[in-house]
Amino acid sequence: MLLNKINKEQKKAVTYTGKHLLLLAGAGTGKTTTIVSRAAWLIENGTDPARIKIISFTKKSAGEIALRAEKLLAGSGIKKSPQGATFHGWCLEIIRSNPSFFGMTKWTVIDVDDQEVIMKHILDKYMSRLSYDVKASDILSIRSYRLNTECELDDAIYKTLHNNQQKSELLIDDIDNIEHIIQSYEEYKKIHSYMDYDDILTIAVTTLTKCEELRSKVTSIYEHILVDEMQDTNPLQWKLLEVFMPSCHLFCVGDDAQSIYNFRGADFNSIHSFSQRVPDSVVMKLVKNYRSSQAILDVSNQLLELSPLQYDKKLIATQKAGKKPLLVFVNNKK
């Protein structure tokens, strides 16, 4: 792999030899190129691809990162590829590869449509007790938020339905019934040997945390874990990474100035408190922007300076030309 194809900031991150690294990468700074190059560099320098796990938030993006690394290596005559997965895909792989620890060989993974059918069936029995005509999707969202953030049920109700204060207040008043509905859903799945996507992560993390034998077995498989879009990890996903922290090298890439999955429980503090949470870690930055003009970046940089959070990062454009952005007020959304 030719390191002269990436800039100095990217090269410094790609060739990092310490324990853990958080790479703060602003929009358009080549973060995907960097994580791809990191995977390829590790393999090129002797790391077994089977000991590298690339984690992204969609199966497609994880696969694309792995494929790009494979193509990059092909240019050096190396026919090897790292593994890409989502958090859920990785956890399902752990569960299915270690059946004796989980006892779930005959369980079926259900999708969102299946979840709604089951929840509607349960809600029919409780509807007369509720003061509000709640939807199955609402209950499922509340349950998912609680599991992924490990918060109390009333907090999950408020955070999930914060755009509808009246609805959230009515559901909090009915919190005992909501708890019973969720418990009935859990019992239904157990009887039918079903698990949903939230169960996959919860079961894997809980078992890895409690069972030292399983934890030792699974963590010994990997040497490097590369995480894309770190700012969108939730507390449960963070707990999974903590399991691997003592024995593996974390290479986490993300933008500390954006996080779009708060409604799913994403916690941007995973980035802002990374140094405090992760011993033996270093923070690096990518600030050279290849996408926007400096005029646009000047506005972005100024907005970040006004934030109560300390970003200490200014994006610099590689293309200097460009008109100054305009602030436009309109009468409607069209």
Side-chain angles (χ1 to χ4, degrees):
M1 182 185 64
L2 299 177
L3 290 176
N4 59 2
K5 290 188 177 181
I6 56 179
N7 66 40
K8 291 182 179 179
E9 292 175 344
Q10 294 168 334
K11 181 179 178 180
K12 186 178 179 182
V14 167
T15 58
Y16 176 69
T17 57
K19 181 70 171 177
H20 306 299
L21 175 67
L22 170 65
L23 183 62
L24 298 178
T29 57
K31 68 177 183 63
T32 304
T33 295
T34 306
I35 199 169
V36 166
S37 299
R38 172 66 172 179
W41 183 83
L42 288 171
I43 295 170
E44 190 178 52
N45 284 271
T47 303
D48 184 346
R51 291 180 59 75
I52 301 172
K53 179 64 77 172
I54 298 171
I55 302 296
S56 192
F57 277 80
T58 68
K59 186 176 180 180
K60 181 181 179 181
S61 64
E64 287 178 349
I65 291 171
L67 181 61
R68 284 180 58 180
E70 182 180 5
K71 289 180 178 179
L72 199 57
L73 285 165
S76 301
I78 301 173
K79 296 181 180 180
K80 294 182 179 180
S81 175
Q83 308 168 50
T86 62
F87 277 104
H88 293 88
W90 187 23
C91 285
L92 186 59
E93 177 187 326
I94 292 170
I95 292 171
R96 288 177 171 169
S97 300
N98 299 277
S100 61
F101 291 96
F102 294 96
M104 305 181 75
T105 53
K106 296 182 180 180
W107 284 59
T108 302
V109 179
I110 58 175
D111 61 19
V112 175
D113 291 337
D114 295 325
Q115 286 183 270
E116 291 208 9
V117 170
I118 295 169
M119 186 58 78
K120 286 177 182 176
H121 171 72
I122 294 168
L123 272 175
D124 286 342
K125 301 176 182 179
Y126 282 88
M127 201 58 73
S128 60
R129 306 184 202 177
L130 297 171
S131 58
Y132 190 88
D133 187 17
V134 65
K135 296 179 181 178
S137 58
D138 289 333
I139 302 295
L140 290 169
S141 294
I142 291 166
R143 170 186 173 271
S144 179
Y145 190 93
R146 179 167 68 164
L147 287 174
N148 283 284
T149 63
E150 299 182 319
C151 70
E152 297 297 327
L153 183 56
D154 55 347
D155 284 339
I157 292 171
Y158 176 75
K159 291 289 179 63
T160 306
L161 305 174
H162 68 279
N163 289 327
N164 190 330
Q165 186 175 354
Q166 181 184 14
K167 189 175 184 178
S168 61
E169 288 175 352
L170 287 170
L171 290 185
I172 288 174
D173 288 341
D174 267 337
I175 197 165
D176 289 340
N177 282 324
I178 301 300
E179 187 71 81
H180 288 144
I181 290 168
I182 292 174
Q183 188 57 43
S184 296
Y185 172 74
E186 306 295 357
E187 291 170 358
Y188 184 98
K189 286 186 298 159
K190 187 175 181 179
I191 291 170
H192 293 84
S193 297
Y194 291 154
M195 61 177 169
D196 58 34
Y197 290 110
D198 290 315
D199 293 328
I200 292 170
L201 200 59
T202 304
I203 291 167
V205 171
T206 301
T207 310
L208 282 167
T209 303
K210 292 181 178 180
C211 181
E212 184 177 350
E213 184 182 355
L214 174 66
R215 184 168 63 251
S216 177
K217 179 185 177 183
V218 174
T219 56
S220 67
I221 296 172
Y222 303 101
E223 186 177 350
H224 294 273
I225 299 172
L226 283 56
V227 184
D228 190 24
E229 304 292 3
M230 185 64 186
Q231 76 278 357
D232 288 324
T233 52
N234 62 43
L236 191 56
Q237 291 161 342
W238 177 260
K239 284 185 73 173
L240 177 65
L241 294 177
E242 282 184 321
V243 169
F244 293 86
M245 199 181 296
S247 57
C248 300
H249 298 264
L250 298 183
F251 185 90
C252 302
V253 182
D255 187 349
D256 55 341
Q258 70 167 322
S259 182
I260 62 174
Y261 289 113
N262 180 259
F263 68 97
R264 293 183 185 172
D267 181 11
F268 62 84
N269 285 310
S270 61
I271 274 191
H272 286 276
S273 61
F274 190 90
S275 296
Q276 291 74 41
R277 294 185 183 190
V278 185
D280 300 320
S281 63
V282 168
V283 178
M284 296 183 187
K285 301 173 185 177
L286 299 182
V287 297
K288 188 176 289 188
N289 180 281
Y290 296 92
R291 184 182 303 165
S292 305
S293 67
Q294 191 61 50
I296 292 175
L297 296 183
D298 285 342
V299 175
S300 301
N301 290 333
Q302 188 173 357
L303 288 173
L304 291 181
E305 288 178 2
L306 297 174
S307 172
L309 296 172
Q310 295 298 312
Y311 289 99
D312 191 26
K313 183 177 87 233
K314 288 188 176 182
L315 298 181
I316 302 169
T318 56
Q319 50 172 306
K320 301 299 180 182
K323 296 180 180 179
K324 289 186 178 181
L326 300 175
L327 179 62
V328 179
F329 294 93
V330 295
N331 296 322
N332 55 54
K333 297 179 180 179
K334 296 182 179 179

